[in-house]
Amino acid sequence: MTTLAAALLAAGVPAGAQGDEGRFDRPNDGFMSPQTTLRAAGPDDAGLDPDRIEALVDAAASYTETPAGATHPLYSGMTVLAAHDGAVVAEDAAGWALRFADGTGAELSRDEWIPAATDTIYDLASVSKLFTTIVVLQQVEAGRIDLDAPAVGYLEDYAPTGLQGITVRQLLTHTSGLVSWLPLWRDWPTPEARIDAVLAAMPTKPPGTAYLYSDLNMITAGLVAEEVSGQPLDVLVREGITEPLGMTDTGYNPPASELDRIAATEFQAAPPRGMVRGEVHDENAWSLNGVAGHAGVFGTAQDLARLAQAILNGGAYGGERILQPDTVEAMLTDENTGFPGNAHGLGFELNQRWYMDALSSPSTAGHTGFTGTSMVIDPLSRSFVILLTNRVHPSRNWGTINPARRAVAHQLAHALAVDPRSGDDAWQAHEGDATASTLSLPVELSGSSTLLFDLFVDTESTDRLTLERSTDGGATWTPVPFTARAGGDRVDAADGVVSGYRGRQWWTARAGLPGDGDTILRWRYVTDALYQGRGVYVDGVKVRTRGAPVFDGEREPERFVADGWVRSDR
């Protein structure tokens, strides 16, 4: 078994050959070159913090261990892969692809355990929905599907009764109003009857009026692609995605010859399948012969890396194009602006901090899978991270792996640098949940004064930075209104507060400081109990009175009083 990085090196791809370094404050005006291919590189060579990349791998591996006081690990086995600017900077595996004998957690004999590896094949679960989406959009490009046409018009052979008024676009954005799930495997006797049940399901809300994530949406979208193309979904995925991109280990219904490389999933008693391995875990997809629009695809992290890079390349990889750049751009543009918190492109979830963490932005795209899989693609930094686990082995009731998903995204985001705006370093606020930190500056004012500073803010909206002042030695504090500009954009912090996504760029801030005498200025950053962004940086602090400089932070950094803030050169 070889790692992707080793394979790339063996193929003669140079390590570290790349363009300029990855900086969160450098805008990306478009997709990477369609010729960008994955290559092996150390974090240093890719312009990343090697300690953070090591922490990314360690975090993913740590969840395969049983913590003190617990009875089981978060997941049995995992494979993780992260890349930036086409450089694979992390690839590792830990734990076990097969460990347990039944749903109670009883273990197999030790010699029967099979370790997870970098080329372990995982059941991707709902990550399969991205493959269905791409297949549908290929049919749109071919002129066979109109996204805004009623889906029912493409399915006349099925005589659907529940799709009236639902467009193909609404299927891909989960705004059709269809129910989330039906027990197809249990309540209908044949694959044909199960499909009829999907197409007969009536919306619970009028189409286009609400967001409701639904497997039925993607099952139906897959059927539309099949009908207009005359090809089954597994063939469309193979010929339209996996073969062109060289994803040799990805597809539906993996062959029995690969069983030793496939991670086990759940021990299922209903239906009575025993320990599921090599067959799709999702019961409905299994009852549809393993091929469905919502689940069923198996794959490796190495293969998914090729797909992620193709998305970053604007739809092409290795000389093969699977989508046009305009289609990819549309796919990663929020269609659900009317449903705050449920940002969604075509098939791809967007800006979901609950698993994207500090990589979140309006254009950050990805998906998760119930079996314990996730992929996060960040076009702004030209980066992605893939975490594949078998968290349902042996039981789906062992808990969520969202902490692990956030951990790997967080570390990759923080491995990318924020260059100081002036000088060699800048003040960086604390990194952590449910914490407050302050950066204070005592100054003496004499008449009307102005505070100037540079500000970088990329936070969760509920993690807030407040600019304050005290004229009584810190006994009481009042907010200081300020404005900030970046290019043609402007922030008006009338209450002295700023938070949220601010474009991963430096802002030039200005605040008026009326009054005389001793004053303490304070930047106070407070985070809530869950989720983080890239954080808060302050640089280039200056105070002027009547136009004359009275303080320059670069010359007198010792004047600051930092509690939870540090000087950072990244």
Side-chain angles (χ1 to χ4, degrees):
M1 296 181 183
T2 62
T3 68
L4 177 60
L8 291 166
L9 287 172
V13 179
Q18 63 157 32
D20 47 0
E21 293 182 353
R23 304 291 181 181
F24 262 10
D25 57 344
R26 180 162 64 84
N28 178 31
D29 294 329
F31 295 111
M32 299 173 68
S33 165
Q35 302 306 316
T36 300
T37 55
L38 295 167
R39 59 193 181 277
D44 280 325
D45 295 325
L48 304 183
D49 183 344
D51 292 337
R52 291 290 192 167
I53 298 302
E54 182 179 0
L56 182 158
V57 173
D58 290 346
S62 70
Y63 291 105
T64 66
E65 303 292 335
T66 302
T71 59
H72 57 76
L74 199 62
Y75 42 74
S76 176
M78 74 88 195
T79 302
V80 66
L81 190 152
H84 167 68
D85 267 340
V88 177
V89 295
E91 186 184 14
D92 207 352
W96 306 95
L98 175 65
R99 175 175 174 176
F100 299 101
D102 61 31
T104 69
E107 295 179 334
L108 296 165
S109 62
R110 190 62 175 76
D111 61 351
E112 294 180 281
W113 294 17
I114 297 178
T118 55
D119 65 348
T120 292
I121 299 170
Y122 292 85
D123 180 337
L124 302 181
S126 284
V127 175
S128 305
K129 293 179 171 71
L130 303 183
F131 291 80
T132 303
T133 296
I134 292 170
V135 162
V136 169
L137 294 179
Q138 288 172 339
Q139 301 306 312
V140 171
E141 290 185 347
R144 300 187 183 102
I145 293 176
D146 179 348
L147 287 175
D148 295 311
V152 67
Y154 299 107
L155 297 169
E156 294 178 353
D157 288 346
Y158 288 96
T161 58
L163 295 179
Q164 300 299 325
I166 296 174
T167 67
V168 177
R169 187 185 303 274
Q170 289 165 344
L171 296 174
L172 297 183
T173 58
H174 296 283
T175 57
S176 69
L178 292 173
V179 295
S180 297
W181 177 83
L182 291 173
L184 302 175
W185 65 271
R186 187 192 68 193
D187 292 353
W188 287 271
T190 65
E192 294 75 17
R194 293 160 189 148
I195 292 299
D196 288 342
V198 169
L199 299 180
M202 300 301 294
T204 59
K205 293 182 180 295
T209 65
Y211 173 85
L212 179 60
Y213 181 85
S214 171
D215 285 351
L216 274 61
N217 285 326
M218 300 309 293
I219 294 173
T220 304
L223 293 172
V224 170
E226 289 184 332
E227 283 295 293
V228 301
S229 68
Q231 296 279 0
L233 184 60
D234 54 347
V235 173
L236 292 173
V237 167
R238 183 178 70 247
E239 295 183 353
I241 304 173
T242 62
E243 284 184 350
L245 297 184
M247 300 171 67
T248 56
D249 290 319
T250 299
Y252 299 90
N253 292 322
S257 60
E258 297 292 348
L259 185 62
D260 287 345
R261 295 176 53 206
I262 299 174
T265 54
E266 188 176 28
F267 184 91
Q268 292 187 356
R273 302 173 65 193
M275 187 62 71
V276 178
R277 187 174 180 219
E279 292 184 336
V280 61
H281 168 264
D282 181 270
E283 297 94 337
N284 284 342
W286 168 73
S287 75
L288 294 171
N289 298 318
V291 180
H294 72 295
V297 177
F298 286 72
T300 64
Q302 297 169 356
D303 277 2
L304 284 182
R306 290 172 174 263
L307 177 60
Q309 191 61 51
I311 299 302
L312 290 176
N313 289 351
Y317 185 84
E320 297 289 339
R321 179 167 292 283
I322 62 169
L323 289 174
Q324 294 300 315
D326 288 349
T327 301
V328 176
E329 184 176 358
M331 187 170 66
L332 305 188
T333 299
D334 187 13
E335 296 270 349
N336 289 354
T337 56
F339 311 114
N342 296 307
H344 213 288
L346 299 172
F348 280 78
E349 296 169 336
L350 303 174
N351 202 23
Q352 297 300 307
R353 202 171 293 277
W354 61 271
Y355 71 94
M356 297 175 179
D357 200 74
L359 279 180
S360 297
S361 80
S363 63
T364 305
H367 217 287
T368 63
F370 187 78
T371 51
T373 58
S374 61
M375 178 166 64
V376 179
I377 304 172
D378 180 33
L380 290 178
S381 67
R382 306 163 312 282
S383 308
F384 62 83
V385 62
I386 295 160
L387 177 65
L388 303 183
T389 81
N390 56 346
R391 74 100 187 167
V392 295
H393 179 57
S395 170
R396 71 184 68 190
N397 298 320
W398 276 17
T400 176
I401 70 158
N402 289 341
R405 289 167 169 154
R406 289 195 294 273
V408 296
H410 181 90
Q411 295 299 340
L412 180 57
H414 282 264
L416 292 147
V418 176
D419 283 334
R421 188 69 176 273
S422 59
D424 296 329
D425 48 22
W427 287 107
Q428 179 184 8
H430 74 269
E431 179 188 337
D433 290 319
T435 305
S437 63
T438 58
L439 178 67
S440 303
L441 173 65
V443 293
E444 184 177 350
L445 304 179
S446 56
S448 180
S449 301
T450 303
L451 169 66
L452 304 170
F453 62 99
D454 297 316
L455 180 64
F456 181 100
V457 175
D458 181 10
T459 75
E460 183 185 12
S461 61
T462 49
D463 293 345
R464 295 152 57 94
L465 175 74
T466 305
L467 178 63
E468 302 170 314
R469 68 182 294 184
S470 174
T471 57
D472 56 10
T476 59
W477 295 89
T478 58
V480 178
F482 68 92
T483 60
R485 295 180 182 274
D489 298 327
R490 176 186 170 105
V491 172
D492 289 300
D495 56 357
V497 175
V498 65
S499 66
Y501 173 78
R502 295 292 174 179
R504 295 180 185 168
Q505 61 188 333
W506 282 101
W507 295 75
T508 300
R510 175 186 294 266
L513 301 173
D516 298 311
D518 292 337
T519 297
I520 304 174
L521 302 174
R522 183 171 79 172
W523 292 263
R524 181 167 58 93
Y525 181 50
V526 180
T527 54
D528 65 8
L530 196 61
Y531 312 149
Q532 289 184 44
R534 182 63 182 87
V536 171
Y537 294 75
V538 167
D539 200 7
V541 178
K542 295 179 175 63
V543 178
R544 295 175 180 170
T545 298
R546 299 188 184 92
V550 296
F551 175 78
D552 186 331
E554 293 303 314
R555 297 177 181 175
E556 301 177 82
E558 70 279 357
R559 291 266 300 274
F560 290 96
V561 179
D563 179 7
W565 291 64
V566 297
R567 297 293 283 179
S568 171
D569 61 0
R570 297 185 60 87

